[in-house]
Amino acid sequence: MAQGNGWYHDVDSEETRDWLESLGGVLQTQGPDRAKYLISQIRYKAHRNGVDTSGNLTTPYINTIPVERQTPFPGDRLIERKLKSINRWNAMAMVLRGNKKSDGLGGHIASYASCATLYEIGFNHFFRGPEAPGGGDIIYFQGHSTPGIYARAYLEGRLSEKVLDNFRRELAEGGGLSSYPHPWLMPDFWQFPTVSMGLGPIMAVYHARFLRYLQHRGIKDTSQIKVWCFMGDGESDEPESLGALSIAARESLDNLIFVVNCNLQRLDGPVRGNSKIIQELEGVFRGAGWNAIKIILGSNWDPLLAADTTGHLKKLLEETVDGEFQRLRVETGAYIREHFFGKYPETLKLVENMSDAELEGLRRGGHDPIKVYAAYHAAVHHKGQPTVILAKTVKGYGMGVAGESKNIAHQAKKVEDDARRAMRDRFQLTLTNEQILEAAYIKPDADSPEMKYLRDRRAALGGSIPQRRVQCPSLPPPSDEMVNKYIETSVGRTASTTMVFVDFLRRLLDDKTLGKWIVPIIPDEGRTFGMDGLFTKYGIYSAVGQLYEPVDAKFPNYYRETKNGQILEEGIAEAGSMSSFIAAGSAYANVGVPTIPFYTYYSMFGFQRVGDLIWAGADMRTRGFLMGGTAGRTTLNGEGLQHQDGHGHLAAATVPNLLAYDPAFAFELAIIIQEGIRRMYTEGESIFYYLTIFNENYKMEAMPAGSKEGILKGMYKFRPSSLKSSKVKSKIHLLGSGSIIQQAMAAQETLEKQYGVAADVWSVTSYKELRRDALECERWNRLHPNDKPRKSYLETLLEKESGIFIAVSDNMKFLPEFVQRWVPGGLIPLGTDGFGRSESRQSLRRFFEIDAECVTYTALENLGRRGEIPMSEVANALKDLGIDPNKPDPVSV
Ligand SMILES: Cc1ncc(C[n+]2csc(CCOP(=O)(O)OP(=O)(O)O)c2C)c(N)n1
Ligand SMILES: [Mg+2]
């Protein structure tokens, strides 16, 4: 890792010098490209002769950009420092004031304190706002650095003192500010929820790629837009943070810049106390094919490095581990001289003319505007690769005894008065003692040079950020004519709802108005869902086209990759696919294009695998359709417990703005998608959809007249009993969903034909919708005691119904239980609680007791308990229907 550059095992320093001087000469006369070429030739020769030249992806522990190659800083350093100091103070003040008023409110001071320079250089020189030509940049701000971003918005006049005071008090009178970036809560301000660590980085990678996709498909010129992703060094431990790096490199995303704030600390302590996080990350990023720029040392190190002719300073920097660097920050100059530079006589000598105060003031690169500017400049101009900037900073910079570089820094919310005073002096803030005591905000006069500067810089860069602006054309829903095909022509055909969906998707793709906006996303499951038929016609997106003749080129349906391909084939990457879904489904708010993503995946690998991304997508007001394929615990033949999803709908119920449907027939599916597009893309509602689709072929039935409303609201009577008179008093109501409605239909027939019992079959398309509406109604009634109580849709629907209600679905029993309170006489749920098995559908349905026989038996058993038929008849039915009463309970085996 960090070590191993080999210079401290020098056995012939004269020879080493010769080589280095030759390289120096080449660099001077012919430049870096020639030097690079020569080094590659030397490496190749060494490799051919058995020297291990692999593996060392790290470079020395100094700045990547040497001082001679730094782009000069064009800003006004004094003014920028003033502005940055004010932001630092105000960011801290809002946390202090909040916690004073309401102890335990929380908030973070130390994180923004460490990355203030990283943001301010961006705000003053690089981040392009929404009015910039070609569109504004996409910026993922580190979640818990929000106080600093709010502080800047305050200076820019976008936020009032009052709302600052209500940081983390969103329900306070007059409104407040959310703790972290949440577009759901501040829809004009925040764009990307980042505080669940790791989601920002993976979303940023796929966002940058989606911008390329839009460009290559000719939908929008996104060539000017950069995606910036700010993250913590501790955050890099999340698998999602680094999991998609190779995709960014493979796709040559030079529109993507990661800035990792390497303050060497996370929440509990050091990120890599015993080694060096910057070196480790450099290796990972370079290994994945990224351009890596390290900013480790501030400008006041430059003379020391220049004087380091023996290489001992570089050696010392390399040898020192992060835990040690962290400690040095809390020590005095004298200590640093003795314990750091004092390690070698050569390094001690280097600093002999520096005072202790100067040693204490040796700055880390991430706090030096000159170094940060040069790195950003290099990053935005770098071609052909994404860039990571690894900036070394100090956690709690400026907090002094209150937390600077201490392990407690992350959660420090209190800064005592003397530390505040020290901060005032250190950052030369004009504050009276009284203002310090009350942590007053600082806002210079509007016509002061610094405020003018602030405004001018943002005006030159295209306006304030962050800003979420929805300026996007609306789209019409799919035509009735398209939908009618599924109401009329599909009737009587044998198909799976997955086949119906793919057919519908194809029609959408071919639609003159909607076609261009459809973004099919698949994680290497196209063939599973029969979507391979779309590959040739619509093309699989590839940034480079197709550089080979596909093996199936001679077939009408071949694997066609193309630069303007419409399908995003993501490989086996549900998190990546979900990130693409989010990028496509939020493009209306980020780049003003109404793309409609259909992400089709193995339902089991949805919520439980990438649930946190789905939550982030919800927060972002992402639109589109999550198509949970191969759904159901028993409909998926043979696959076993890790594939059979019987709880996706339960998880879906936890996402407030998600509509979840479990359609059974072609007409239900078509109507739901039509309405979904209308609500999201015509009306602009901030909702999205989860639809489960099945791979079981069965007869597509005709749509009962007038059932459209019920399909959308969640339930309608699908097939009333055909019995003239029932043998019993109680009517049986069988509620079926998805492909399991067949079991309800078969049970209806058996009940009627064999037992003379009348039964109605209802199709429940969405328990979630039924419950949402019922709860809304219940709440309204509770809060309006003097008004006539309202009735929910479900209550109205069942108003005139009575009898025994049995629900059966391929999901856990919890799902129908969502609504049992509003069903007259309650509801008996049959479902698939327990682990799945590798088995046939038929055996699985018996195993979980949801097959037609078990449904029939449950109806009879309930009639028996009510005394409407003798229990002996029930016992006989159990035998006749072939149900083993001693079979194991699926929940516990
Ligand atoms: C997925 C997830 N796990 C845990 C947390 C809680 N958390 C918030 S900040 C933080 C430490 C962050 O450290 P780092 O990434 O180094 O950021 P720094 O504050 O040092 O800049 C943790 C553990 C979270 N927000 N998200
Ligand atoms: Mg950190």
Side-chain angles (χ1 to χ4, degrees):
M1 228 209 55
Q3 280 75 16
N5 284 304
W7 51 53
Y8 36 93
H9 303 301
D10 197 352
V11 288
D12 185 349
S13 55
E14 213 164 294
E15 188 185 36
T16 311
R17 198 160 38 236
D18 278 354
W19 279 66
L20 292 178
E21 276 172 9
S22 307
L23 183 67
V26 171
L27 271 169
Q28 227 170 26
T29 54
Q30 300 176 73
D33 284 346
R34 175 69 186 151
K36 205 169 164 183
Y37 176 78
L38 287 174
I39 293 168
S40 75
Q41 291 303 301
I42 291 169
R43 244 181 107 141
Y44 181 63
K45 174 134 195 183
H47 175 71
R48 298 281 300 179
N49 286 279
V51 179
D52 179 9
T53 58
S54 68
N56 207 344
L57 286 163
T58 55
T59 60
Y61 195 63
I62 54 173
N63 296 341
T64 306
I65 304 175
V67 64
E68 320 75 65
R69 298 193 47 227
Q70 274 171 207
T71 306
F73 181 69
D76 183 323
R77 283 199 64 186
L78 273 182
I79 288 190
E80 290 196 21
R81 179 161 198 268
K82 218 170 194 177
L83 287 168
K84 184 168 63 185
S85 301
I86 295 171
N87 281 335
R88 276 183 194 291
W89 176 267
N90 288 343
M92 179 180 73
M94 95 183 61
V95 178
L96 295 179
R97 286 164 76 98
N99 282 278
K100 193 169 174 192
K101 267 201 264 174
S102 170
D103 202 18
L105 204 57
H108 300 85
I109 300 172
S111 300
Y112 177 72
S114 69
C115 57
T117 304
L118 301 179
Y119 282 124
E120 279 300 292
I121 293 296
F123 277 114
N124 286 324
H125 302 280
F126 293 95
F127 301 158
R128 296 160 63 265
E131 277 130 39
D137 287 343
I138 301 286
I139 304 170
Y140 287 76
F141 293 97
Q142 190 188 13
H144 56 288
S145 66
T146 43
I149 310 304
Y150 289 141
R152 186 164 235 275
Y154 166 66
L155 276 197
E156 289 181 21
R158 302 175 63 205
L159 298 176
S160 68
E161 217 163 277
K162 182 161 175 145
V163 291
L164 247 54
D165 262 349
N166 288 335
F167 172 54
R168 290 186 166 236
R169 300 248 354 254
E170 297 185 79
L171 303 179
E173 210 189 313
L177 298 173
S178 71
S179 51
Y180 305 119
H182 294 301
W184 187 262
L185 304 172
M186 294 174 65
D188 302 325
F189 196 88
W190 293 117
Q191 293 175 289
F192 311 111
T194 45
V195 86
S196 177
M197 318 243 115
L199 302 192
I202 193 168
M203 289 194 290
V205 168
Y206 281 87
H207 209 140
R209 172 155 160 286
F210 187 71
L211 294 179
R212 284 285 160 80
Y213 167 91
L214 291 177
Q215 175 93 27
H216 287 159
R217 284 197 51 215
I219 288 182
K220 187 177 171 94
D221 178 7
T222 56
S223 57
Q224 303 296 309
I225 303 173
K226 297 275 184 210
V227 177
W228 294 81
C229 175
F230 286 82
M231 63 184 274
D233 47 358
E235 184 173 4
S236 69
D237 282 340
E238 289 286 2
E240 291 90 344
S241 298
L242 306 181
L245 295 188
S246 57
I247 288 143
R250 185 183 73 211
E251 306 260 332
S252 310
L253 298 179
D254 53 18
N255 57 346
L256 177 64
I257 299 165
F258 271 26
V259 181
V260 189
N261 175 22
C262 298
N263 55 25
L264 315 187
Q265 290 176 241
R266 44 181 164 73
L267 193 150
D268 284 341
V271 178
R272 292 290 183 276
N274 291 318
S275 60
K276 289 211 274 299
I277 187 64
I278 292 184
Q279 297 299 88
E280 181 179 325
L281 290 176
E282 181 187 31
V284 172
F285 276 90
R286 276 194 204 279
W290 285 51
N291 172 40
I293 301 176
K294 296 192 289 192
I295 327 175
I296 294 173
L297 305 169
S299 298
N300 49 9
W301 285 85
D302 288 338
L304 292 178
L305 276 181
D308 179 34
T309 48
T310 64
H312 279 81
L313 178 57
K314 290 192 203 86
K315 172 172 153 69
L316 181 59
L317 287 165
E318 290 241 326
E319 286 168 353
T320 308
V321 293
D322 282 355
E324 191 64 23
F325 277 123
Q326 185 193 349
R327 195 168 58 90
L328 288 168
R329 275 302 303 185
V330 299
E331 297 291 357
T332 61
Y335 183 97
I336 294 169
R337 184 187 308 279
E338 186 187 339
H339 293 271
F340 180 70
F341 290 105
K343 189 166 177 192
Y344 299 107
E346 291 85 347
T347 44
L348 191 60
K349 194 164 169 24
L350 274 181
V351 295
E352 66 186 353
N353 295 324
M354 289 175 78
S355 68
D356 287 351
E358 282 173 320
L359 292 189
E360 226 178 292
L362 279 171
R363 240 194 310 184
R364 291 188 185 168
H367 294 295
D368 186 334
I370 293 182
K371 300 292 182 193
V372 175
Y373 180 87
Y376 284 8
H377 189 272
V380 296
H381 290 96
H382 188 77
K383 293 270 176 270
Q385 282 175 301
T387 293
V388 62
I389 289 165
L390 301 166
K392 188 173 179 179
T393 61
V394 179
K395 192 139 178 171
Y397 190 72
M399 286 168 75
V401 289
E404 180 159 333
S405 195
K406 293 188 179 164
N407 279 341
I408 47 97
H410 189 86
Q411 283 165 310
K413 301 169 203 332
K414 294 212 166 88
V415 178
E416 299 305 334
D417 299 341
D418 42 349
R420 296 186 198 183
R421 260 190 288 276
M423 192 165 165
R424 171 191 62 186
D425 300 340
R426 179 163 172 181
F427 295 113
Q428 292 155 357
L429 297 161
T430 41
L431 284 163
T432 63
N433 283 343
E434 200 171 70
Q435 286 170 315
I436 285 181
L437 280 182
E438 65 184 36
Y441 300 117
I442 307 174
K443 191 166 193 177
D445 286 342
D447 50 6
S448 63
E450 51 272 24
M451 292 297 265
K452 250 180 90 355
Y453 187 89
L454 176 97
R455 287 193 300 270
D456 290 351
R457 291 310 307 147
R458 285 318 310 161
L461 285 161
S464 288
I465 41 167
Q467 250 192 84
R468 186 176 177 279
R469 285 187 180 186
V470 179
Q471 287 173 351
C472 183
S474 61
L475 297 174
S479 64
D480 285 341
E481 191 194 345
M482 191 189 302
V483 171
N484 284 343
K485 294 219 156 49
Y486 299 90
I487 297 178
E488 290 151 14
T489 29
S490 71
V491 176
R493 285 205 194 151
T494 295
S496 68
T497 46
T498 304
M499 284 160 70
V500 173
F501 162 64
V502 175
D503 193 66
F504 194 80
L505 183 65
R506 190 194 292 273
R507 273 185 224 279
L508 281 173
L509 284 160
D510 286 338
D511 188 80
K512 265 215 233 46
T513 322
L514 294 172
K516 139 177 186 189
W517 306 110
I518 306 294
V519 182
I521 303 168
I522 33 175
D524 200 32
E525 297 287 358
R527 293 182 202 279
T528 312
F529 304 126
M531 291 171 79
D532 42 327
L534 307 178
F535 290 167
T536 314
K537 182 160 182 202
Y538 306 100
I540 294 164
Y541 171 73
S542 156
V544 293
Q546 193 155 36
L547 308 177
Y548 59 95
E549 181 172 300
V551 62
D552 48 5
K554 291 198 179 64
F555 295 92
N557 271 331
Y558 69 95
Y559 196 85
R560 187 170 78 91
E561 297 195 63
T562 168
K563 218 168 157 171
N564 63 357
Q566 194 157 357
I567 299 166
L568 287 173
E569 159 65 79
E570 301 294 17
I572 312 160
E574 282 78 11
S577 305
M578 195 56 216
S579 300
S580 282
F581 177 82
I582 292 171
S586 63
Y588 72 95
N590 299 320
V591 284
V593 296
T595 36
I596 310 175
F598 282 87
Y599 169 34
T600 313
Y601 56 95
Y602 243 110
S603 193
M604 191 69 159
F605 307 133
F607 287 91
Q608 69 176 19
R609 177 107 191 188
V610 293
D612 204 13
L613 276 163
I614 295 177
W615 187 260
D619 187 346
M620 269 172 78
R621 300 161 179 266
T622 302
R623 297 172 183 164
F625 296 89
L626 295 172
M627 304 299 300
T630 48
R633 194 90 91 211
T634 69
T635 307
L636 185 54
N637 241 341
E639 286 287 2
L641 99 177
Q642 220 162 37
H643 283 77
Q644 293 161 337
D645 179 18
H647 48 275
H649 277 284
L650 296 185
T654 63
V655 183
N657 56 342
L658 179 70
L659 282 84
Y661 287 93
D662 193 14
F665 301 114
F667 62 86
E668 291 181 2
L669 190 84
I671 283 172
I672 293 164
I673 295 178
Q674 180 191 41
E675 176 69 355
I677 294 181
R678 189 192 69 77
R679 288 183 63 180
M680 294 185 284
Y681 291 88
T682 314
E683 303 300 327
E685 284 189 58
S686 291
I687 53 173
F688 63 133
Y689 282 70
Y690 170 58
L691 269 65
T692 36
I693 47 177
F694 301 90
N695 67 349
E696 181 181 7
N697 293 326
Y698 52 91
K699 193 173 142 220
M700 291 294 121
E701 303 283 343
M703 174 171 155
S707 51
K708 182 171 172 180
E709 186 195 0
I711 291 169
L712 297 172
K713 291 194 163 170
M715 178 169 163
Y716 64 97
K717 193 176 278 186
F718 170 67
R719 182 162 293 173
S721 168
S722 55
L723 264 195
K724 291 269 163 15
S725 69
S726 186
K727 214 174 83 178
V728 293
K729 192 170 101 249
S730 297
K731 162 81 77 66
I732 303 294
H733 299 273
L734 302 174
L735 279 55
S737 304
S739 66
I740 296 297
I741 200 167
Q742 299 168 90
Q743 305 305 318
M745 287 157 67
Q748 178 189 40
E749 202 175 320
T750 311
L751 282 168
E752 299 195 347
K753 288 200 176 137
Q754 288 185 27
Y755 296 95
V757 170
D760 288 352
V761 172
W762 301 75
S763 176
V764 182
T765 52
S766 177
Y767 284 105
K768 186 178 183 193
E769 275 307 283
L770 292 176
R771 179 177 170 82
R772 189 193 51 69
D773 171 69
L775 286 176
E776 202 178 293
C777 215
E778 192 175 73
R779 175 181 173 276
W780 191 92
N781 292 342
R782 188 184 310 133
L783 298 176
H784 297 83
N786 292 328
D787 292 291
K788 185 172 168 245
R790 289 180 180 173
K791 274 207 176 107
S792 66
Y793 170 73
L794 183 60
E795 287 166 311
T796 316
L797 191 67
L798 300 182
E799 208 163 23
K800 298 199 179 76
E801 307 286 353
S802 63
I804 295 166
F805 290 81
I806 299 168
V808 59
S809 85
D810 217 356
N811 297 284
M812 290 175 68
K813 297 178 182 108
F814 260 138
L815 189 64
E817 279 173 348
F818 281 180
V819 300
Q820 67 181 359
R821 177 153 99 247
W822 300 283
V823 175
L827 181 71
I828 299 133
L830 297 176
T832 54
D833 298 36
F835 285 120
R837 290 288 190 284
S838 326
E839 254 299 349
S840 67
R841 282 187 192 113
Q842 202 181 353
S843 302
L844 283 168
R845 286 169 182 169
R846 171 56 55 91
F847 175 73
F848 282 111
E849 297 156 20
I850 60 163
D851 61 0
E853 290 79 6
C854 289
V855 176
T856 308
Y857 174 72
T858 306
L860 296 172
E861 186 258 348
N862 276 276
L863 287 169
R865 301 275 175 214
R866 288 188 175 196
E868 297 190 32
I869 56 173
M871 283 314 278
S872 57
E873 201 175 308
V874 176
N876 284 341
L878 187 68
K879 224 185 281 156
D880 294 345
L881 292 163
I883 300 169
D884 173 9
N886 298 315
K887 75 184 273 300
D889 184 346
V891 178
S892 50
V893 290

